[in-house]
Amino acid sequence: MKKLSQLSGMPQMKAAFTGWTQKITFKLITQTVVDGFVVDSEKTVVFNGTIQPLSAEEVILKPEGQRFWEWLDVHVMGTTVPLRNNDRVSYNGTLYKVMASKDYSLNNYMEFHIVRDYEAGNE
């Protein structure tokens, strides 16, 4: 239990997410530059959350040339998932790129928009 001084005063989404989340496993692929070369490193990330197609309202806000791409909306319970913009993740054998992150840590969740990474060789 958190101390009163640690509470944000914002609604905590744990109760709302109860029954809607499941364990999700991503293979997180990050890139770093080592001695002038780009090196991929992979690690498995497991979290409780939901994954669904991005809403039509949010897709229409994307640049015109990206509206027909495969976009997913990822809601993560808690704030410890180490995803950053431009990271790549593998989910169910398909590569995606993290394009947007929304920090709702005061409400104890995070939201990410990921898009299928067609440049990585996905057909």
Side-chain angles (χ1 to χ4, degrees):
M1 178 158 282
K2 289 186 177 182
K3 295 180 183 178
L4 187 58
S5 62
Q6 293 175 319
L7 295 175
S8 67
M10 298 293 290
Q12 298 299 297
M13 301 305 291
K14 184 174 185 175
F17 280 179
T18 299
W20 290 82
T21 61
Q22 61 183 353
K23 276 209 184 304
I24 297 170
T25 302
F26 278 174
K27 186 187 313 178
L28 174 61
I29 304 161
T30 55
Q31 294 183 328
T32 55
V33 178
V34 177
D35 296 327
F37 296 98
V38 176
V39 176
D40 286 349
S41 59
E42 296 181 2
K43 78 175 184 177
T44 300
V45 178
V46 180
F47 59 92
N48 284 323
T50 64
I51 297 179
Q52 58 199 27
L54 202 60
S55 71
E57 293 82 6
E58 294 207 83
V59 170
I60 201 72
L61 296 175
K62 301 295 181 192
E64 187 173 342
Q66 298 178 11
R67 293 180 189 161
F68 290 100
W69 296 357
E70 182 182 342
W71 288 91
L72 296 178
D73 196 4
V74 181
H75 286 88
V76 177
M77 193 64 223
T79 60
T80 59
V81 174
L83 299 179
R84 299 181 317 223
N85 289 348
N86 294 321
D87 282 347
R88 290 181 297 146
V89 295
S90 176
Y91 173 65
N92 286 343
T94 303
L95 285 174
Y96 294 89
K97 187 172 184 179
V98 178
M99 298 297 285
S101 58
K102 298 179 180 184
D103 182 357
Y104 296 105
S105 57
L106 290 177
N107 303 94
N108 198 32
Y109 77 99
M110 304 288 291
E111 180 181 0
F112 300 95
H113 292 181
I114 62 176
V115 66
R116 189 167 177 179
D117 191 2
Y118 292 100
E119 291 182 12
N122 285 324
E123 295 295 326

